[in-house]
Amino acid sequence: MKLDVAPAETLYPFVLTEEQEHLRREIRAFAEKEIAPHVMAWDEASQFPLEVVKKLGKMGLLGIVVPTAYGGAGLGYVDYVLAIEEISAVDASLGLTVAAHNSLGTKHIYLAGTEAQRKKYLPLLATGEWLAAWGLTEPGSGSDASNARTTAVKRGDRYILNGNKIFITNGHYADVAVIIAVTDKSKGTHGLSAFVVEKGTKGFRPGKKENKLGLRASDTSELIFEDCEIPEENLLGALGEGFIDAMRVLDGGRISIAALSLGIGRGALDAALKYVKERRQFGKAIAEFQGIQWKLADMATELDAARLLTQRAAVLNDAGRKITRESAMAKLFASETAVHICNETVQLFGGYGFIKDYPAEKFYRDVKLCTIGEGTSEIQRMVIAREILKVYPSRG
């Protein structure tokens, strides 16, 4: 199956290096061969394609931003954004799997872990031998992390975890999970700490697998902790600083969701462009109608703008700059743009946009997660407003 997509020079409003162009082509070729033929079958069955995920690991994509000293590819977030977009333009479920593994679980261990923790876990994660998950959300605490109920109580040289996490990407398949738990309720968000929990630990198990609207080939599940004992060396970062570190992790994670949005939006636009050139009404291709052309013009312009915001955040992140505002802007605009593009794609397909034999409906179902995951659009607006008000203080 040959993907019908726009050439690179029309996709990227900047010049790719030779290495980046090679990476992009390699991922696209892999997607054409290994992913595209199976997309709808995986979606219908909610099948997690573990074998393909392992192949992505062998390509270096599960350790793309992990330094080479720990077995990773040692690339930057600009390259990472390219990779997530290319995968997600074909199947966003796999894009999300790769993003959650890299940006959340693996990234938290790299950012907050001791050297011993990095050496223990990162080589396994970077090669795809192990898969990572990250647990912050609970039934009663989504955006309000201070209301978390999962606890970690110190007993001698061990911590005892009790509680559950929900909406965890890779939950059933993760070999290691980073879990945010309450260690001191009286301190609010400064009483939350992060822990590394390995698969097979007594008292730790995956729970319900969610039956989802979209991204159905990505595993989303509950994680349950019942008197789960872990050694004190599994504390990740300083005691009480788990939430602070989680916010640093989410800054980078929001770039990956923006990249996921770019991929879905681009995939939908590619499908729309192909369809309007082939679909004929009133004796000519519907692409010749001005009303259709204006829709396409808006979709393409918005997608390029989203890509620029996303790559700005990636460039600044690679430069070691604080990116709280930039990543929130990229995530907000890219996700809402992708939703608009997918909605318009369904409209352009007409009745066929509602049918599973055509690609529009899957892009439409998949994209909605992008305005919710790793902070809703409403939360992104709060973050952006807070950051810009710091820069422009009132003058009394």
Side-chain angles (χ1 to χ4, degrees):
M1 177 178 176
K2 185 71 174 176
L3 298 179
D4 194 358
V5 294
E9 58 268 21
T10 69
L11 294 176
Y12 302 104
F14 50 87
V15 177
L16 298 181
T17 66
E18 184 178 340
E19 292 78 11
Q20 288 168 341
E21 178 62 19
H22 175 76
L23 175 68
R24 186 188 67 80
R25 288 181 180 275
E26 182 184 16
I27 296 170
R28 177 169 295 184
F30 179 87
E32 288 180 359
K33 180 181 179 182
E34 302 284 349
I35 300 175
H38 311 290
V39 168
M40 288 311 297
W42 291 339
D43 181 78
E44 288 288 331
S46 293
Q47 178 184 341
F48 184 79
L50 183 59
E51 182 180 343
V52 175
V53 173
K54 294 294 185 181
K55 288 180 180 179
L56 290 170
K58 290 180 180 178
M59 292 173 64
L61 298 184
L62 296 186
I64 190 167
V65 293
V66 174
T68 55
Y70 301 108
L75 300 179
Y77 260 67
V78 172
D79 309 279
Y80 180 38
V81 165
L82 292 174
I84 294 297
E85 179 178 341
E86 287 296 337
I87 296 169
S88 303
V90 179
D91 189 0
S93 290
L94 277 163
L96 180 61
T97 298
V98 173
H101 169 88
N102 276 293
S103 299
L104 299 180
T106 302
K107 190 68 173 181
H108 199 140
I109 292 172
Y110 175 69
L111 282 178
T114 63
E115 189 61 17
Q117 289 170 330
R118 290 177 176 181
K119 288 181 176 178
K120 179 178 180 180
Y121 294 112
L122 292 180
L124 294 167
L125 294 168
T127 58
E129 185 175 344
W130 279 18
L131 198 60
W134 192 75
L136 177 63
T137 303
E138 299 183 9
S141 65
S143 300
D144 180 14
S146 64
N147 198 36
R149 300 294 179 88
T150 298
T151 60
V153 177
K154 184 79 179 293
R155 291 182 187 169
D157 62 352
R158 308 186 74 77
Y159 282 94
I160 313 300
L161 273 64
N162 280 285
N164 66 316
K165 299 291 181 177
I166 61 170
F167 304 152
I168 308 304
T169 304
N170 303 335
H172 273 87
Y173 295 89
D175 299 278
V176 64
V178 174
I179 301 300
I180 314 300
V182 179
T183 47
D184 189 340
K185 186 67 174 176
S186 67
K187 294 183 178 180
T189 55
H190 288 281
L192 296 170
S193 303
F195 299 88
V196 179
V197 186
E198 296 181 24
K199 184 177 183 178
T201 301
K202 185 179 180 181
F204 169 45
R205 60 184 173 86
K208 177 187 176 185
K209 177 181 177 179
E210 300 296 346
N211 186 15
K212 299 176 296 182
L213 169 72
L215 300 169
R216 291 172 59 81
S218 166
D219 177 60
T220 304
S221 63
E222 178 185 31
L223 296 181
I224 298 171
F225 303 89
E226 296 174 334
D227 293 329
C228 174
E229 292 189 20
I230 58 173
E232 61 182 341
E233 57 261 31
N234 282 32
L235 174 68
L236 187 60
L239 186 68
E241 294 298 303
F243 179 77
I244 305 304
D245 290 336
M247 294 302 100
R248 295 167 60 208
V249 169
L250 283 173
D251 279 348
R254 286 166 180 160
I255 297 176
S256 70
I257 297 300
L260 182 78
S261 304
L262 291 178
I264 299 173
R266 194 189 95 202
L269 178 57
D270 288 338
L273 288 167
K274 182 176 185 292
Y275 181 78
V276 298
K277 288 180 178 181
E278 295 175 349
R279 175 67 168 170
R280 298 185 66 83
Q281 291 286 277
F282 306 103
K284 57 184 177 180
I286 64 172
E288 296 182 38
F289 291 102
Q290 187 180 69
I292 301 297
Q293 292 176 355
W294 285 11
K295 283 182 181 290
L296 296 170
D298 286 345
M299 292 158 72
T301 301
E302 291 166 4
L303 187 64
D304 263 15
R307 187 176 287 111
L308 283 168
L309 278 173
T310 303
Q311 288 290 2
R312 178 184 72 164
V315 167
L316 292 175
N317 185 73
D318 287 342
R321 297 269 295 275
K322 184 175 183 289
I323 56 163
T324 301
R325 183 189 70 168
E326 290 80 5
S327 64
M329 284 181 170
K331 198 267 187 187
L332 171 65
F333 189 79
S335 63
E336 297 205 340
T337 290
V339 168
H340 174 247
I341 290 171
C342 292
N343 182 64
E344 290 286 58
T345 297
V346 171
Q347 192 70 19
L348 288 169
F349 270 74
Y352 293 112
F354 213 67
I355 304 299
K356 286 183 177 290
D357 291 338
Y358 292 79
E361 66 86 30
K362 183 177 184 297
F363 287 121
Y364 187 72
R365 287 187 290 109
D366 285 348
V367 75
K368 189 54 195 168
L369 182 278
C370 296
T371 65
I372 299 171
E374 296 195 32
T376 63
S377 291
E378 291 74 18
I379 289 295
Q380 303 313 312
R381 288 185 171 92
M382 289 173 60
V383 170
I384 294 164
R386 183 185 66 218
E387 292 298 311
I388 62 175
L389 287 169
K390 288 179 185 176
V391 178
Y392 302 104
S394 60
R395 290 174 171 81

